[in-house]
Amino acid sequence: MELRCAVQKYAWGKTGKSSLVAQLSQGNSTVPIVEDDPYAELWMGTHPSGPSVIKSSNEPLQNHLLSNVDSLGDEEKKVFGTDLPFLFKALSVAKALSIQAHPNKKHAEELFATRPDLYKDPNHKPEMVTAWLGPFEALCGFRPVADIKFFLQEIDELAAVVGKSACEALVKAESDSEEMQALRECFSALMNTSEESVAFTLKQFEQRIPSLSAEKKDALQCDLFTRIATDFPGDVGCWSVYFMNYVVLQEGESMFLGPNVPHAYIFGDCLECMACSDNVVRAGLTPKFKDIDTLCSMLDYQAGPVDRFRMQWSTVDEFCQTCSPPVPDFAMARLRLPASATVDKAYSLPVRCNASILLILQGLATSAETKEDLSFGQVLFLKAGQQLTVQVKGEQDLIVYQAFANV
């Protein structure tokens, strides 16, 4: 079944036709693109904040699942009930998203019970991000402590806003546990500093940057800092550049972000798959509510290189790969069928034992089952055990990403 999917126009999204999300939306919608509007996210799934509907009937996908429970896999139903456990997204990021983290399942239930106005569901939100169409920039997890110490020593304005006692505690820390506690104190002190002090120190550093040597600017990642500070003047999240790993994912590379991992996407296009939730705890780079106390208390303060978050894809055959994060809610597959390799034959996608959602990201093909064309931007729902066989058409490779439960 072909789906029509929700578009979210958050302020950080790329505008008009420059947005991958806007381009994809034209594949399953007749609503014209508004050039000045930001097109941030395309949601594919059943989450009530952006539910997909069946294109032919306009029936919400979730309603269809409730009345057609055989669409879901047996193990999928046993673990998750009669709904899809995952939410599949495409994102187009023009400027940084908020400094954020997602609660674990128990904490999500507590937040939903006590503050349903802010936290809309009781589910956790582990997620996997995959870069698409060029480099994708993000901040992710706390940097190695040695790096943070370096920045605190080199940037007086940062040390001033963190505070002398918190900085000294981090410098003196020796064991891993002492470092984690000291890092918690530093980051909490930063996030709880008055807005006036934050704005003053940011402005001081911005004014000092032009006097630095090219080598020093590079060492202090001044270009990254300036880009974010330009978009979010006076925001405490600008200083997070010096606490969190800066990572650039190349096309097709992926990261997995578990509960309580601090992160912020900065620029680029990506695909995201996550547990079916919209729970976000924020504390910077956003006009939305900043729940600083909750964020600082829940974060994973383990410090280290960003490589610990990278995911590897496994080869299924010469055309298909899969990636399985350490959670049951979701996994992903991707298919690249070269036009030249499939001129005279069709390809059958591996049959999944659970329901799945597919996104056509490039190319044109014909479905052997329906004889209909599949093209860029189309989103398909396959029930558990359903076969899809495709024949590539035209001169472009066919690229498809697929999300499904990991049980």
Side-chain angles (χ1 to χ4, degrees), residues 238-307:
C238 300
W239 286 127
S240 296
V241 167
Y242 298 112
F243 282 86
M244 296 163 63
N245 288 294
Y246 172 60
V247 59
V248 180
L249 296 178
Q250 301 302 321
E251 184 173 325
E253 293 183 336
S254 302
M255 290 193 307
F256 173 74
L257 306 174
N260 305 324
V261 173
H263 60 281
Y265 300 153
I266 297 174
F267 184 83
D269 298 315
C270 74
L271 303 174
E272 258 194 328
C273 197
M274 63 200 67
C276 189
S277 172
D278 195 31
N279 278 326
V280 182
V281 184
R282 302 177 178 88
L285 304 184
T286 179
K288 296 181 180 179
F289 175 72
K290 300 175 184 179
D291 197 347
I292 292 172
D293 290 343
T294 299
L295 186 84
C296 290
S297 67
M298 67 184 266
L299 287 181
D300 178 357
Y301 286 96
Q302 181 180 351
V306 76
D307 287 349

Side-chain angles (χ1 to χ4, degrees), residues 97-386:
L97 281 67
S98 56
I99 304 296
Q100 60 183 257
H102 308 299
N104 60 34
K105 186 73 166 79
K106 182 175 182 295
H107 193 195
E109 291 169 351
E110 294 169 354
L111 291 172
F112 178 66
T114 57
R115 306 173 76 179
D117 55 320
L118 294 174
Y119 303 104
K120 305 296 186 182
D121 60 71
N123 204 12
H124 65 166
K125 192 172 178 275
E127 57 192 24
M128 188 176 93
V129 56
T130 302
W132 176 248
L133 292 178
F136 184 77
E137 301 173 73
L139 299 174
C140 181
F142 285 105
R143 294 176 178 270
V145 169
D147 292 356
I148 299 172
K149 289 179 180 178
F150 169 77
F151 291 129
L152 288 170
Q153 291 164 352
E154 292 289 328
I155 305 173
D156 293 341
E157 298 86 352
L158 175 59
V161 78
V162 170
K164 183 177 179 181
S165 63
C167 291
E168 288 179 348
L170 187 63
V171 170
K172 294 176 181 178
E174 295 181 355
S175 67
D176 289 347
S177 60
E178 288 176 347
E179 286 186 340
M180 288 179 67
Q181 180 57 36
L183 181 54
R184 177 194 292 266
E185 292 176 12
C186 283
F187 193 73
S188 298
L190 170 66
M191 287 294 160
N192 283 285
T193 301
S194 70
E195 292 182 4
E196 294 77 13
S197 294
V198 168
F200 178 73
T201 53
L202 285 171
K203 181 59 68 176
Q204 274 190 317
F205 185 50
E206 288 179 76
Q207 292 174 345
R208 189 163 65 89
I209 285 174
S211 67
L212 300 176
S213 67
E215 183 180 9
K216 181 68 74 174
K217 288 178 183 176
D218 187 55
L220 299 183
Q221 299 197 346
C222 291
D223 285 349
L224 175 63
F225 170 85
T226 301
R227 284 168 54 199
I228 295 177
T230 300
D231 287 333
F232 297 92
D235 193 299
V236 67
C238 300
W239 286 127
S240 296
V241 167
Y242 298 112
F243 282 86
M244 296 163 63
N245 288 294
Y246 172 60
V247 59
V248 180
L249 296 178
Q250 301 302 321
E251 184 173 325
E253 293 183 336
S254 302
M255 290 193 307
F256 173 74
L257 306 174
N260 305 324
V261 173
H263 60 281
Y265 300 153
I266 297 174
F267 184 83
D269 298 315
C270 74
L271 303 174
E272 258 194 328
C273 197
M274 63 200 67
C276 189
S277 172
D278 195 31
N279 278 326
V280 182
V281 184
R282 302 177 178 88
L285 304 184
T286 179
K288 296 181 180 179
F289 175 72
K290 300 175 184 179
D291 197 347
I292 292 172
D293 290 343
T294 299
L295 186 84
C296 290
S297 67
M298 67 184 266
L299 287 181
D300 178 357
Y301 286 96
Q302 181 180 351
V306 76
D307 287 349
R308 60 198 156 124
F309 301 109
R310 291 183 180 272
M311 294 293 294
Q312 301 301 317
W313 289 74
S314 302
T315 298
V316 176
D317 58 37
E318 61 181 317
F319 304 123
C320 183
Q321 294 180 314
T322 59
C323 190
S324 298
V327 292
D329 307 74
F330 63 89
M332 293 195 73
R334 61 187 180 197
L335 173 73
R336 187 181 194 112
L337 283 177
S340 59
T342 55
V343 170
D344 299 319
K345 63 179 181 180
Y347 176 84
S348 295
L349 279 69
V351 175
R352 306 291 172 195
C353 60
N354 297 314
S356 65
I357 291 178
L358 288 82
L359 171 64
I360 313 297
L361 274 172
Q362 180 181 290
L364 180 67
T366 300
S367 163
E369 288 77 16
T370 65
K371 310 304 181 186
E372 295 179 351
D373 284 347
L374 307 176
S375 58
F376 174 79
Q378 282 186 286
V379 181
L380 307 177
F381 173 82
L382 294 184
K383 67 180 184 179
Q386 187 170 5

